[in-house]
């Protein structure tokens, strides 16, 4: 599943998160990943952006859950011109 994350310091992260296709298995929903006891989420095929500009790409990234302000399933593949309006998203919205 492709996800997009906004961190508390307004860094945008796009990446693939492994979620099981089996309906009642461990990690079968995005909420299961966020609510389990692990402190980190592992992403692959990662793109990192700051508002308005791409920063870097990497094959994998572990992100600490407390650093996440907002996380959702990505609808499209990001491009350098695609950004979130970070001034309208707050940590309390997650």
């Amino acid at each position: 599943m492709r996800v997009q994350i906004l961190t508390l310091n307004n860094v945008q992260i796009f990446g693939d998160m492994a979620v099981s296709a089996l309906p009642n298995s461990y990690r079968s929903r995005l909420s299961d990943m966020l609510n389990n006891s692990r402190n980190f989420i592992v992403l692959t095929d990662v793109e990192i952006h700051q508002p308005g500009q791409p920063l870097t790409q990497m094959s994998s990234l572990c992100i600490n859950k407390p650093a996440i302000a907002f996380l959702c399933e990505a609808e499209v593949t990001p491009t350098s011109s695609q950004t979130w309006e970070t001034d309208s998203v707050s940590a309390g919205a997650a």
Side-chain angles (χ1 to χ4, degrees), residues 10-68:
N10 290 328
V11 173
Q12 302 166 16
I13 302 172
F14 297 86
D16 294 329
M17 182 172 22
V19 178
S20 176
L22 301 173
N24 292 321
S25 70
Y26 171 70
R27 298 187 338 180
S28 63
R29 299 177 304 191
L30 187 57
S31 61
D32 294 335
M33 292 294 293
L34 293 173
N35 293 321
N36 68 24
S37 62
R38 296 182 179 180
N39 292 328
F40 292 87
I41 294 175
V42 178
L43 301 175
T44 57
D45 190 23
V46 178
E47 296 180 37
I48 300 176
H49 300 252
Q50 280 195 324
Q53 65 181 5
L55 287 180
T56 190
Q57 295 182 341
M58 56 187 67
S59 60
S60 64
L61 173 74
C62 292
I63 184 165
N64 197 346
K65 288 179 185 177
I68 298 172

